[in-house]
């Protein structure tokens, strides 16, 4: 079988392997939780809870040198303070001065806006922006106290604003202040926290808890939240299992938080160093669900030696938005190994969409533009393949002349030398036919990465039944059309393979069709349009240099009837 066939099959296997590797793996089912506890795999707190508190849910004990909030009941008797902007609806509560809801108005989930703060959590888990310090009794008070607030509500639109919570305890001298600055510097999904704790004027260290993140904790694609941090210029992502094994991270942390597939909550300290970040993996059984079904979260907390001034980003992993807040936040988008190609492709796609107004048609237009760029190289490759096809009788003659020699025989080297001399005489590069396939593979993977992680395409419709380009075609129409165009393209492409090899090679469209059944619709549209562009170019090439000669029929080897008492002897080789 020719090297070209082996290369094509190898590339197909590479596509399958990489595609499977890039697809999210289903999380293993959890063991049913013990009847007496809500699950996390962690050590119970060493300090007993306050008198009268209910039995706490076990969580991983703190390792940052300050008291954690395991066992602390979150106060529920405060009043809600609503903050409205053009992009976010936030709800704070005076009990603990914590965030209870952060809804993104421009992103839908079900019938309403997407919620980033988990709901219906046990009171044993801190809510976002709970603070604690190095004294257990003070931490209990800070988490449950009713704070005074300077505003009953805020309606900001696109402007900046601030909300300040204060707590004073004359008996102990405890003073705590939290000020939340909304949309600082015009960044719609950013919030800056200023927090301080002192007792009688003596400052205490502050730990800021975000609590369990992110959103519902249930994802139909099993893309559960992961810990994410940028440390010393290197992005790190850690699963729940990683967090259980190593919960604490220190060093030059440039941002730290929790991500899911499309959204992120993270502290972005800028020039202010973070003393350390600690993560806790949390699995909460779902009432009424089958055993082993759970909500999956990762909580995180940030340590400071004194008062805190810390910006947070809580919003979509959208390229331009992240770059506007801090260029380092762009690393939160997991573009994979082809990031160098994905980012320009995404920027080009966004540029096209400004004129087209539909992400599906923008993919079509960008695909056509890409094919126009590689048109000259593809044309040269097709011409070379046509010459290779015309040379097949001479190549076969050389191969048959050396067929009697073993592969290891030095005479076989002469065959290669004769073939290379023939290629040189005819002005043909035998590898040129594979170049377009090799060039399109990085684009395929880059398009896949872009379509699977770029939030711009989340929920973006095309037409008809395609309501979300980041999800698979529910009726498999586009994958089947793609497979049909791939078959059509192979039938009309010049080939120097014999008929048996051609039949094997024609199996690939079926293989790709099955592979693309679960692929994002946007990726299938790209591949289909790319196939149509190649078919159109093949017709144009045929008009320019003439139609290809008919493919030769199969070689038939006839044998003479067997002699009496002997084996059949070769009679002739007939080529029809």
């Amino acid at each position: 079988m020719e090297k070209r066939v082996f290369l094509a099959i190898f590339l197909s296997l590479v596509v399958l392997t990489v595609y499977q590797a890039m697809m999210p793996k289903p999380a293993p089912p959890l063991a049913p939780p013990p009847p007496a506890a809500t699950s996390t795999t962690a050590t119970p707190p060493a300090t007993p809870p306050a008198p009268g508190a209910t039995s706490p849910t076990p969580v991983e004990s703190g390792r940052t040198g300050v008291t954690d909030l395991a066992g602390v009941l979150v106060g529920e008797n405060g009043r809600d303070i609503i903050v409205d902007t053009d992009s976010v609806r936030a709800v704070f509560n005076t009990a603990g001065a914590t965030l209870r809801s952060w809804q993104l108005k421009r992103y839908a989930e079900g019938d309403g806006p997407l919620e980033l703060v988990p709901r219906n959590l046990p009171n044993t888990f801190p809510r976002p922006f709970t603070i604690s310090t190095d004294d257990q009794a003070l931490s209990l008070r800070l988490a449950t106290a009713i704070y005074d607030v300077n505003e009953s509500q805020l309606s900001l639109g696109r402007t900046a604003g601030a909300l300040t919570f204060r707590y004073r305890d004359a008996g102990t001298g405890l003073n705590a202040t939290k000020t939340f600055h909304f949309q600082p510097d015009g960044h719609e999904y950013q919030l800056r926290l200023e927090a301080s704790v002192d007792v009688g004027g003596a400052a205490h260290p502050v730990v800021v808890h975000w609590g369990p993140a992110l959103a519902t904790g249930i994802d139909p694609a099993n893309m559960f939240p992961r810990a994410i941090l940028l440390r010393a210029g290197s992005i790190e992502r850690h699963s729940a299992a990683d967090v259980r094994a190593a919960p604490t991270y220190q060093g030059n942390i440039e941002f730290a938080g929790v991500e899911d597939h499309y959204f992120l909550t993270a502290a972005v300290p800028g020039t202010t160093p973070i003393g350390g970040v600690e993560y806790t993996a949390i699995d909460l059984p779902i009432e009424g669900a089958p055993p082993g079904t759970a909500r999956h979260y990762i909580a995180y907390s940030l340590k400071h030696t004194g008062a805190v001034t810390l910006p947070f980003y809580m919003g979509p992993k959208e390229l331009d938005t992240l770059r506007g807040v801090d260029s380092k936040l762009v690393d939160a988008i997991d573009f994979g190994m082809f990031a160098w190609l994905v980012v320009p492709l995404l920027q080009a796609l966004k540029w096209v969409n400004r004129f087209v107004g539909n992400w599906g048609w923008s993919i079509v237009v960008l695909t056509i533009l890409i094919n126009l760029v590689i048109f000259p190289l593809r044309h040269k490759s097709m011409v070379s393949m046509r010459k290779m096809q015309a040379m097949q009788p001479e190549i076969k003659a050389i191969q048959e002349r050396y067929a009697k020699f073993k592969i290891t025989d030095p005479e076989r080297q002469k065959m290669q030398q004769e073939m290379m001399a023939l290629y040189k005489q005819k002005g043909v590069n035998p590898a040129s036919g594979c170049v377009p396939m090799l060039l399109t593979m990085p684009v395929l993977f880059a398009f896949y990465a872009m379509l699977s992680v770029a939030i711009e395409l989340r929920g973006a419709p095309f037409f008809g039944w395609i309501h979300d380009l980041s999800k698979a075609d529910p009726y498999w129409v586009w994958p089947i059309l793609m497979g049909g165009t791939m078959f059509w393209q192979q039938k009309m492409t010049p080939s120097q393979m014999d008929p048996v090899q051609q039949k094997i090679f024609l199996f690939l469209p079926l293989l790709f069709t099955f592979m693309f059944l679960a692929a994002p619709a946007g990726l299938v549209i790209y591949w289909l349009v790319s196939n149509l562009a190649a078919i159109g170019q093949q017709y144009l090439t045929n008009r320019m240099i003439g139609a290809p000669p008919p493919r030769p029929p199969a070689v038939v080897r006839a044998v003479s009837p067997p002699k009496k008492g002997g084996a059949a002897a070769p009679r002739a080789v007939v080529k029809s």
Side-chain angles (χ1 to χ4, degrees):
M1 185 178 292
E2 298 181 20
K3 292 180 181 179
R4 190 186 307 274
V5 180
F6 284 115
L7 178 60
I9 294 175
F10 170 74
L11 290 174
S12 302
L13 293 176
V14 168
V15 171
L16 284 172
T17 303
V18 174
Y19 177 81
Q20 293 297 330
M22 294 175 73
M23 286 293 287
K25 304 295 189 296
L30 300 169
T38 305
S39 123
T40 70
T41 59
T43 324
T47 307
T54 59
S55 177
T57 300
V59 296
E60 295 196 30
S61 59
R63 294 177 175 83
T64 58
V66 292
T67 305
D68 63 347
L69 287 178
V72 173
L73 291 176
V74 176
E76 294 292 346
N77 297 321
R79 61 190 176 94
D80 288 341
I81 309 297
I82 297 175
V83 180
D84 252 316
T85 73
D86 285 354
S87 305
V88 172
R89 182 182 186 273
V91 179
F92 291 81
N93 194 276
T94 57
T98 56
L99 179 67
R100 302 301 174 90
S101 173
W102 186 268
Q103 293 181 338
L104 308 184
K105 295 181 178 180
R106 296 174 184 167
Y107 297 92
E109 188 72 27
D111 296 329
L114 185 133
E115 174 66 73
L116 289 189
V117 177
R119 296 175 176 174
N120 303 319
L121 293 176
N123 286 337
T124 48
F125 292 104
R127 300 307 190 259
F129 305 117
T130 298
I131 60 174
S132 65
T133 186
D134 55 354
D135 181 276
Q136 177 75 13
L138 293 180
S139 296
L140 289 169
R141 184 71 60 84
L142 292 169
T144 58
I146 304 297
Y147 287 65
D148 295 324
V149 62
N150 67 328
E151 300 283 354
S152 58
Q153 66 176 22
L154 286 175
S155 183
L156 300 175
R158 295 184 179 181
T159 62
L163 191 64
T164 299
F165 294 86
R166 290 186 175 89
Y167 175 71
R168 303 285 185 269
D169 186 340
T172 61
L174 174 63
N175 298 296
T177 302
K178 297 183 191 179
T179 300
F180 298 95
H181 297 270
F182 301 93
Q183 304 184 132
D185 303 319
H187 301 311
E188 55 190 339
Y189 299 111
Q190 192 172 19
L191 179 151
R192 187 173 71 246
L193 169 67
E194 297 175 359
S196 63
V197 176
D198 70 80
V199 178
H204 281 244
V206 176
V207 176
V208 180
H209 302 262
W210 211 91
L214 193 61
T216 63
I218 305 170
D219 194 303
N222 292 304
M223 299 177 189
F224 299 119
R226 296 183 296 183
I228 182 172
L229 65 151
L230 184 67
R231 181 165 55 165
S234 178
I235 194 71
E236 300 178 26
R237 290 179 168 86
H238 301 285
S239 65
D242 298 332
V243 165
R244 291 186 176 105
T248 304
Y249 300 87
Q250 296 178 330
N252 182 18
I253 297 174
E254 298 170 80
F255 72 79
V258 175
E259 66 167 359
D260 65 10
H261 196 58
Y262 289 116
F263 299 95
L264 169 74
T265 166
V268 190
T271 57
T272 305
I274 295 178
V277 58
E278 180 179 349
Y279 292 100
T280 305
I282 299 169
D283 302 320
L284 296 177
I286 301 173
E287 185 177 355
T293 306
R295 291 188 287 166
H296 304 274
Y297 299 110
I298 293 181
Y300 69 100
S301 56
L302 305 148
K303 175 189 175 183
H304 289 262
T305 56
V308 174
T309 299
L310 192 58
F312 282 81
Y313 178 84
M314 300 179 292
K317 293 195 291 187
E318 196 273 327
L319 181 65
D320 292 336
T321 303
L322 294 175
R323 184 177 286 159
V325 174
D326 191 324
S327 60
K328 296 172 184 175
L329 271 178
V330 174
D331 290 336
I333 307 177
D334 190 5
F335 285 129
M337 61 165 42
F338 290 99
W340 57 272
L341 183 56
V342 174
V343 173
L345 275 175
L346 179 57
Q347 291 172 328
L349 185 64
K350 294 174 72 171
W351 178 81
V352 171
N353 190 63
R354 285 203 294 268
F355 299 96
V356 177
N358 178 284
W359 288 105
W361 288 114
S362 298
I363 291 173
V364 172
V365 172
L366 182 59
T367 304
I368 293 172
L369 292 176
I370 290 172
N371 279 272
L372 287 175
V373 170
I374 66 173
F375 180 93
L377 183 59
R378 182 179 278 168
H379 176 74
K380 184 177 180 180
S381 172
M382 289 179 178
V383 172
S384 180
M385 291 174 67
R386 182 71 61 80
K387 291 180 179 179
M388 286 286 294
Q389 188 178 19
M391 291 168 53
Q392 281 308 294
E394 297 173 78
I395 293 173
K396 290 292 184 183
I398 295 174
Q399 291 173 341
E400 289 179 3
R401 198 159 61 242
Y402 289 91
K404 60 183 177 180
F405 298 105
K406 294 182 179 180
I407 295 179
T408 56
D409 195 303
E411 290 293 320
R412 297 284 288 201
Q413 295 296 324
K414 295 182 180 179
M415 181 186 76
Q416 295 297 328
Q417 293 171 1
E418 287 190 36
M419 291 179 66
M420 293 306 296
L422 179 63
Y423 293 145
K424 186 175 181 179
Q425 178 188 348
K426 300 291 186 179
V428 175
N429 182 355
S432 61
C434 299
V435 171
M437 183 180 294
L438 292 173
L439 287 177
T440 56
M441 286 300 169
V443 179
L444 169 66
F445 295 141
F447 253 83
Y448 174 81
M450 179 180 69
L451 297 173
S452 61
V453 302
I455 197 169
E456 290 85 353
L457 300 180
R458 179 184 181 269
F462 185 28
F463 70 85
W465 62 95
I466 303 297
H467 304 296
D468 190 341
L469 288 166
S470 67
K471 295 181 180 179
D473 181 349
Y475 304 113
W476 299 348
V477 174
W478 286 94
I480 292 172
L481 289 175
M482 186 279 302
T485 60
M486 197 171 182
F487 178 81
W488 181 11
Q489 182 183 5
Q490 286 194 1
K491 291 292 289 184
M492 67 179 301
T493 300
S495 174
Q496 54 269 13
M497 295 181 288
D498 64 45
V500 175
Q501 293 170 351
Q502 291 171 14
K503 289 179 180 178
I504 295 173
F505 204 69
L506 287 175
F507 175 74
L508 289 179
L510 183 62
L511 186 67
F512 271 75
T513 300
F514 277 105
M515 182 186 74
F516 276 91
L517 291 179
L523 176 66
V524 182
I525 292 168
Y526 155 71
W527 201 248
L528 169 63
V529 175
S530 186
N531 286 348
L532 290 174
I535 291 169
Q537 183 169 352
Q538 182 66 59
Y539 276 115
L540 180 61
T541 301
N542 291 345
R543 289 181 63 88
M544 293 172 64
I545 64 175
R551 291 177 174 175
V555 176
V556 179
R557 295 187 179 272
V559 296
S560 59
K563 297 179 181 179
K564 185 178 290 186
R571 185 181 66 192
V573 176
V574 180
K575 296 183 181 178
S576 55

